[in-house]
């Protein structure tokens, strides 16, 4: 939820479920704009929300939600509850593995991950049926079967190269 204050004024992001067109959003803007305590309304039909700046001494989020429902749209209130703690940008973007890296260091890290994946990917292809189909005849090292060797070589590709995606998904 997005709350900010100028003096005692607050902003809240309300759900506007059912608003399909910009003209419908303008109806909500006009209706809410005439209500006591409402200072500004910024609807977003694409996100199905409206950011409303209001004076909490004159109106409440419940009043605002009711007025949206009076317009004929569904509104359960705030789009994001106030009790949820704000997340750090690194937690929400999936770049937690990069910590406080600079953009240049992050680009270098991603390039290195790509190079490792590309080199090991070529090895996997050579010992696969595709490589054998093109006449590659070198046997897999350590007496391993081709499929087992390809599996062993592909694991670093998956886990090292895509580690940032796995850590982001877990977060």
């Amino acid at each position: 939820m997005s709350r900010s204050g100028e003096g005692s004024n607050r902003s809240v992001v309300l759900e506007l479920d059912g608003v399909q067109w910009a003209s419908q959003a303008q109806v909500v803007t006009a209706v809410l704009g005439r209500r006591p305590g409402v200072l500004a309304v910024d609807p977003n039909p694409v996100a199905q929300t409206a950011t409303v700046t209001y004076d909490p001494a004159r109106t409440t989020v419940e009043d605002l939600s009711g007025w949206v429902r009076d317009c004929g749209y569904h509104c359960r209130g705030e789009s994001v509850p106030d009790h949820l703690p704000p997340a750090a940008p690194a937690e929400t973007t999936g770049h937690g593995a990069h910590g406080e890296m600079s953009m240049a260091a992050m680009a270098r890290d991603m390039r290195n991950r790509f190079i490792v994946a590309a080199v090991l990917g070529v090895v996997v292809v050579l010992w696969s049926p595709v490589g054998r189909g093109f006449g590659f005849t070198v046997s897999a090292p350590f007496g391993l079967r081709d499929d087992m060797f390809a599996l062993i070589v592909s694991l670093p590709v998956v886990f090292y190269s895509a580690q940032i995606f796995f850590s982001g998904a877990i977060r």
Side-chain angles (χ1 to χ4, degrees):
M1 181 196 105
S2 167
R3 283 198 181 215
S4 63
E6 268 185 59
S8 64
N9 298 336
R10 291 197 161 183
S11 291
V12 63
V13 178
L14 294 175
E15 176 190 44
L16 284 183
D17 191 25
V19 174
Q20 303 295 323
W21 309 99
S23 59
Q24 292 173 317
Q26 294 310 315
V27 170
V28 174
T29 301
V31 169
L32 288 180
R34 290 191 297 261
R35 301 296 184 175
V38 176
L39 306 171
V41 180
D42 182 22
N44 184 340
V46 175
Q48 300 278 296
T49 62
T51 303
V52 181
T53 304
Y54 67 100
D55 180 356
R58 298 183 65 202
T59 192
T60 65
V61 173
E62 290 76 24
D63 291 338
L64 296 169
S65 300
W67 294 330
V68 169
R69 285 190 296 273
D70 290 346
C71 292
Y73 303 108
H74 299 282
C75 182
R76 290 184 297 250
E78 298 177 38
S79 182
V80 179
D82 192 25
H83 67 277
L84 293 178
E91 293 174 8
T92 58
T93 59
H95 295 281
H98 287 129
E100 297 297 322
M101 282 186 182
S102 69
M103 186 59 73
M106 191 183 306
R108 189 171 40 258
D109 180 58
M110 293 301 286
R111 183 190 64 236
N112 292 343
R113 289 175 189 273
F114 173 77
I115 290 170
V116 168
V119 168
L120 293 177
V122 168
V123 172
V124 169
V125 168
L126 287 175
W127 273 275
S128 74
V130 172
R132 298 301 186 197
F134 283 117
F136 184 77
T137 58
V138 177
S139 60
F142 311 114
L144 294 171
R145 295 187 333 233
D146 289 349
D147 60 342
M148 292 304 296
F149 180 66
L151 172 68
I152 291 168
V153 174
S154 68
L155 290 176
V157 173
V158 172
F159 290 112
Y160 172 70
S161 301
Q163 179 268 337
I164 187 171
F165 302 108
F166 290 127
S167 63
I170 290 168
R171 262 192 305 288

